[in-house]
Amino acid sequence: MKINLNAKLFLRTVVLFLIFSSILNVNLFAADSTNTTPAPYEDDEFPQGLKDLRRFEIIALGSMPFVTLDVNIAYAMGKPVFNCMQSGDWSNYTFTNPLTASAEYSSDEIKGVIWTAVGISVGIALTDYIINLVKRNKLKKSTYQNNTINIYNITNDEDAIKLENPFEFEPPEQNEPSGEN
């Protein structure tokens, strides 16, 4: 039986892989540990820009379903009003429930609802980012201003209480030894 060169190379590779994996398998498994809780993040582990970007993402994506529902309801209420205002005939005013399957929207109307909801969600996240940025800068500014020490003279202040200095004391009088013994 004749084995071609590719089969020999494949067998040699498999044998070498098995040898090396049996030698190196000592440290492949994690040590048993009773504590499985992860270590909490340090304050300086991530830059502030990444924290802000993550918060922006969470707020934008988290508000999207609620904003989409609100935009859908507002569009369903505004569409018949707008149509009646354009035609001038209010006798055909009908409100369809936007949450049922009978609410028929064209693909352009659906795109408009979704893009409006995306814009409002990004606006909410951007507003939150700006508010937090202003708060953080105000806190930094007040921290820098409060690092200075101001000394005020209170000698003429009526509400000031004079305290005795505990470190200022007079040594007791000592009797001088007399030369008589």
Side-chain angles (χ1 to χ4, degrees), residues 1 4 15 37 44 50 79 87 94 99 101 127 130 148 179 181:
M1 185 165 139
N4 66 14
V15 168
T37 57
D44 59 346
L50 285 180
K79 181 180 175 183
S87 67
T94 56
L99 304 177
T127 303
I130 291 170
T148 60
N181 277 344

Side-chain angles (χ1 to χ4, degrees), residues 2-180:
K2 192 173 187 183
I3 299 176
N4 66 14
L5 187 61
N6 287 338
K8 284 183 181 181
L9 183 61
F10 177 73
L11 286 174
R12 183 180 301 156
T13 305
V14 169
V15 168
L16 285 175
F17 177 76
L18 290 174
I19 290 172
F20 283 123
S21 64
S22 66
I23 292 172
L24 299 175
N25 72 353
V26 175
N27 293 327
L28 290 180
F29 300 106
D32 290 335
S33 175
T34 58
N35 187 5
T36 58
T37 57
Y41 290 124
E42 301 292 326
D43 287 338
D44 59 346
E45 192 165 351
F46 296 107
Q48 188 61 43
L50 285 180
K51 291 178 186 176
D52 290 339
L53 181 65
R54 178 67 177 150
R55 182 178 172 98
F56 182 88
E57 175 191 10
I58 289 170
I59 291 174
L61 293 178
S63 66
M64 186 67 184
F66 303 104
V67 171
T68 304
L69 177 67
D70 293 341
V71 168
N72 192 11
I73 291 172
Y75 183 77
M77 291 172 62
K79 181 180 175 183
V81 171
F82 183 74
N83 289 339
C84 289
M85 285 175 56
Q86 276 189 334
S87 67
D89 183 19
W90 288 88
S91 62
N92 293 333
Y93 178 78
T94 56
F95 174 73
T96 58
N97 186 356
L99 304 177
T100 61
S102 65
E104 295 178 10
Y105 293 141
S106 68
S107 62
D108 288 338
E109 290 174 331
I110 293 172
K111 287 178 187 176
V113 167
I114 290 175
W115 281 114
T116 304
V118 167
I120 292 172
S121 294
V122 168
I124 291 170
L126 190 61
T127 303
D128 177 74
Y129 171 71
I130 291 170
I131 289 171
N132 282 328
L133 191 65
V134 167
K135 282 183 181 179
R136 192 177 319 122
N137 287 339
K138 187 176 180 182
L139 183 66
K140 274 185 189 176
K141 187 183 279 187
S142 69
T143 303
Y144 290 138
Q145 288 176 351
N146 291 339
N147 276 344
T148 60
I149 299 174
N150 298 324
I151 300 174
Y152 299 103
N153 187 1
I154 60 168
T155 54
N156 297 332
D157 191 1
E158 298 135 6
D159 296 329
I161 300 172
K162 181 168 170 94
L163 299 174
E164 299 295 325
N165 189 348
F167 300 107
E168 199 174 279
F169 66 94
E170 295 179 16
E173 292 182 19
Q174 295 181 357
N175 293 335
E176 298 212 9
S178 58
E180 301 172 15

